[in-house]
Amino acid sequence: MGRYVISTPEEQQEMLGTLGFSSMRELYHDVPGALMLDALQLPKGKSELETRRAMEALAAENRVFPHIFRGAGAYCHYIPAVVRQIPAKEEFLTAYTPYQAEISQGVLQSIFEYQTMICELTGMDVSNASVYDGSTAAAEAVAMCRTKKRTRVLLSAACHPDLIETVRTYCFASDTPLALIPELDGRTDLNALEEALGDDVSCVLLQQPNYYGQIELAEAVTQKTHASGALMILSCNPTALPLLKTPGEAGADIAVGEGQPLGLPLSFGGPYLGFMAAKSSLMRKLPGRIVGETVDADGNRAFVLTLQAREQHIKREKASSSICSNEALCALTASVYLSAMGPAGMRQTAIQCYSKAHYAASAITALPGFSRKHSGDFFHEFVTACPVPAEALLKQLENHGILGGLPLADGSLLWCVTEMNTKEEIDLLVSILKEVSC
């Protein structure tokens, strides 16, 4: 706030004295001296034109590929023009979490509509106003499930590595035991899951489709989880939901996921959006904010922040979450995207992703040495072997403006195909692969 509420050196000294300090350096006495700077060595200021040229030169170092065959958590989808236009309007662009609900009706309604659409998409009863990203949503869901008697968490090893690391970090901080269920042929090993379940397990977290693109046996996992008395968390790709059974249909207790495919551009990594939805019985354990619909004194439709007097506000030592905010602008963008696409558009997108990915997989695996690593069905990602060093192959693809599959630790490649990839692009990819591998 120093840029807006100016304090004089005399006022600063008075505040330090009230705190019992004589100087700013003494205020930060806990910071090691090696990390302290006497002064910032800043270069001479630039003019507006010089600054613009410098920033444009930096931006020019970014490589934007016209043809993308890589996903692994962030996906290239078509975004209708209206999805970019509406959130860019001034009244939305500066919107943040509404703290004075009575004068924030527009923002509250946009969040309420977002929550409604997420519930429709996931088949769940209630949604919060969003969290920071899909990995955070998964970790927050795990924290929701912990009880005094049930603390152990089971997490599929076929989940995204970033998701696993985020959940592991949360569990470490809360002293929560975490075990990974190994994968078998690219999917969660059901026998290993059954052996790991016990009366101390709070939840099982499964990703659908998983990191390798494989479609998991979500209902079977849910049945085993519930039979042991634990809760089921399903982290799902929203684009795939029109074709697959929703988390609600699969029997999940909590649905989470990365909302980036819902109208958010890749943007070199963010900002993105984490969505969370749950059964009504878990509503009071959802972190962050929930917007509810009511009527005002005159009987007119109105919106309020509900359940906001939460533990993370007033009893922090007992709280299961410290998230009190949300990604309001990203959530609005997702709402506009879902409204513009509609159920038919979402289903058509899913169908194109599925069919084009299977066409690409068939064409790629017809080449010598590019066999599929996993045998199960997949949505729009799949893993193939790579008969030549992946780095050399990807470099050749880059020379043709193609961002190829993500190289995995064993030398295989994780490919992704969406509705944005044309048949001509796929055929070009295959012809280059054939040339490089021969």
Side-chain angles (χ1 to χ4, degrees), residues 202-225:
S202 63
C203 63
V204 174
L205 199 161
L206 186 74
Q207 184 174 340
Q208 179 74 309
N210 66 28
Y211 180 60
Y212 307 111
Q214 294 284 291
I215 297 175
E216 293 273 10
L217 301 176
E219 288 182 281
V221 173
T222 299
Q223 290 173 2
K224 294 180 182 297
T225 299

Side-chain angles (χ1 to χ4, degrees), residues 113-238:
E113 302 297 349
Y114 159 82
Q115 293 174 173
T116 302
M117 293 180 194
I118 291 297
C119 287
E120 291 176 345
L121 190 64
T122 60
M124 305 303 283
D125 300 324
V126 60
S127 165
N128 68 9
S130 74
V131 293
Y132 306 128
D133 55 37
S135 296
T136 303
E140 290 287 340
V142 166
M144 286 174 59
C145 300
R146 180 174 178 171
T147 66
K148 291 182 179 180
K149 294 183 179 181
R150 289 182 174 269
T151 59
R152 192 158 57 98
V153 174
L154 299 182
L155 176 60
S156 170
C159 288
H160 194 291
D162 291 348
L163 185 154
I164 293 175
E165 287 306 307
T166 304
V167 173
R168 180 178 281 123
T169 300
Y170 268 60
C171 289
F172 169 79
S174 61
D175 197 25
T176 299
L178 170 67
L180 291 182
I181 304 302
E183 55 94 0
L184 179 65
D185 192 22
R187 295 196 296 199
T188 306
D189 187 336
L190 296 182
N191 291 330
L193 170 65
E194 195 162 17
E195 292 176 2
L197 285 167
D199 56 11
D200 63 335
V201 174
S202 63
C203 63
V204 174
L205 199 161
L206 186 74
Q207 184 174 340
Q208 179 74 309
N210 66 28
Y211 180 60
Y212 307 111
Q214 294 284 291
I215 297 175
E216 293 273 10
L217 301 176
E219 288 182 281
V221 173
T222 299
Q223 290 173 2
K224 294 180 182 297
T225 299
H226 285 168
S228 73
L231 296 176
M232 177 70 187
I233 305 170
L234 198 59
S235 176
C236 45
N237 183 334

Side-chain angles (χ1 to χ4, degrees), residues 16 22-31 33 36-39:
L16 286 169
S22 61
S23 67
M24 284 290 185
R25 178 60 67 95
E26 188 178 344
L27 174 64
Y28 291 101
H29 67 277
D30 289 326
V31 178
M36 301 291 287
L37 296 176
D38 292 326

